[in-house]
Amino acid sequence: MNNLTGEYLLELKKVCVSYTPGKNAVNNVSADILPNTITAIMGPSGCGKSTLLRAINRMHELYPNIVTTGEILLKGKDVLKMNPSEVRRMAGMVFQRPNPFPTMSIYDNVIAGYGLNGIRLKKSEKDEIVETSLRNVALWDEVKDSMTKKGSFLSGGQQQRLCIARALALKPELLLMDEPTSALDPISTNRIEELLLELKEQFTIVIVTHNTSQAARISNYSMFMYLGDLVEYDTTKQMFTKPKDKRTEDYLTGVFG
């Protein structure tokens, strides 16, 4: 894809991920992602979408038998050669199901990443980060009088926004989202989608979704993966109106998926 606006934020170069020797769950994926965009990764279950996403912030290292090869460059630095905690500060992750830390207050949930990374902050700095992060996800006005309550006290949609605030608190370059609305009702889903469109002014977002209409609504670019391969990568408009590959067309029209 032509790079029209300067430097890419994220560059994937022949990325392979295998769970068992000789069999790739992600196979030679190369793609460049521009800053301040939303890129959707689509495809049927088991095609490697989440595996690719997790490789970007080195989550696979928690499992010794998973091997990742190739290059993943974030702002020109190879993620696979960096300190994992630095990678996870630069690339925040939001999961499918809202997962606030159950024993922590709403306040402590937002700044949990600082403690986990051994970063000490003054009370005034914490207060500012918490308020800014919660305002970023349009949750501040709803929770500002309940900051000492547990995160689990919130509704599902609010919990997911809290998890996004927790990821944003570390001021990442990149926000990785693994089907972040699949456990939510339509109203909460709509609010998260509106939120992502606002957040891309400040952050670059890569979102795995099985919901093609969601990809069409919010993403600038789309990837279609099938059986570990990146079949097609283009602007979302181009992919949804004139896909180049028959498999992409079949997936988008519901022939399989």
Side-chain angles (χ1 to χ4, degrees):
M1 209 176 349
N2 295 326
N3 180 7
L4 303 175
T5 57
E7 291 295 303
Y8 292 118
L9 183 90
L10 179 68
E11 298 165 79
L12 307 175
K13 298 178 186 289
K14 296 188 174 174
V15 175
C16 298
V17 184
S18 62
Y19 294 97
T20 48
K23 188 174 186 332
N24 287 340
V26 169
N27 193 40
N28 272 324
V29 169
S30 295
D32 299 321
I33 289 172
L34 291 163
N36 302 105
T37 56
I38 299 177
T39 301
I41 308 178
M42 299 178 295
S45 296
C47 69
K49 309 183 294 290
S50 295
T51 300
L52 178 63
L53 195 75
R54 286 160 184 249
I56 296 169
N57 86 336
R58 304 257 304 257
M59 287 206 60
H60 294 316
E61 279 172 43
L62 306 170
Y63 309 94
N65 53 340
I66 302 178
V67 178
T68 306
T69 59
E71 285 182 293
I72 301 171
L73 303 179
L74 185 51
K75 293 194 84 174
K77 292 164 75 172
D78 190 349
V79 159
L80 300 178
K81 294 178 179 159
M82 288 164 63
N83 179 314
S85 63
E86 187 187 351
V87 175
R88 289 173 201 142
R89 281 210 298 276
M90 290 177 73
M93 187 92 170
V94 177
F95 296 94
Q96 193 166 354
R97 295 201 167 271
N99 61 342
F101 297 123
T103 59
M104 287 188 186
S105 67
I106 293 169
Y107 183 99
D108 288 338
N109 256 286
V110 177
I111 50 165
Y114 286 90
L116 292 170
N117 283 291
I119 302 166
R120 298 178 75 89
L121 297 170
K122 295 196 194 94
K123 175 81 168 67
S124 58
E125 291 173 316
K126 288 181 185 176
D127 290 348
E128 187 183 340
I129 289 165
V130 168
E131 181 172 344
T132 302
S133 303
L134 289 171
R135 283 190 186 282
N136 271 337
V137 300
L139 196 55
W140 173 252
D141 290 334
E142 294 167 41
V143 302
K144 65 184 181 198
D145 299 321
S146 318
M147 298 297 270
T148 56
K149 290 190 176 171
K150 301 278 188 283
S152 50
F153 147 84
L154 301 170
S155 71
Q158 288 175 320
Q159 285 187 30
Q160 192 62 302
R161 281 188 282 149
L162 176 61
C163 293
I164 297 170
R166 186 174 68 196
L168 298 181
L170 285 163
K171 304 181 177 70
E173 304 287 342
L174 183 64
L175 193 56
L176 305 171
M177 313 192 85
D178 194 355
E179 300 196 21
T181 61
S182 64
L184 303 180
D185 63 83
I187 291 169
S188 300
T189 294
N190 186 42
R191 292 192 73 175
I192 298 267
E193 289 181 3
E194 288 174 354
L195 170 64
L196 297 186
L197 291 170
E198 290 168 23
L199 289 176
K200 77 169 181 182
E201 303 294 319
Q202 301 177 64
F203 304 95
T204 304
I205 299 168
V206 179
I207 179 169
V208 165
T209 180
H210 64 268
N211 182 337
T212 55
S213 52
Q214 179 173 73
R217 283 193 297 269
I218 67 169
S219 68
N220 306 97
Y221 295 93
S222 288
M223 299 183 189
F224 172 61
M225 291 185 69
Y226 186 58
L227 300 176
D229 293 324
L230 178 56
V231 173
E232 193 162 340
Y233 176 34
D234 213 325
T235 64
T236 299
K237 186 177 179 188
Q238 176 72 30
M239 191 180 289
F240 276 79
T241 51
K242 286 188 187 158
K244 294 185 178 69
D245 192 288
K246 180 74 167 68
R247 291 169 294 177
T248 312
E249 186 179 344
D250 286 349
Y251 180 73
L252 293 176
T253 53
V255 173
F256 71 90

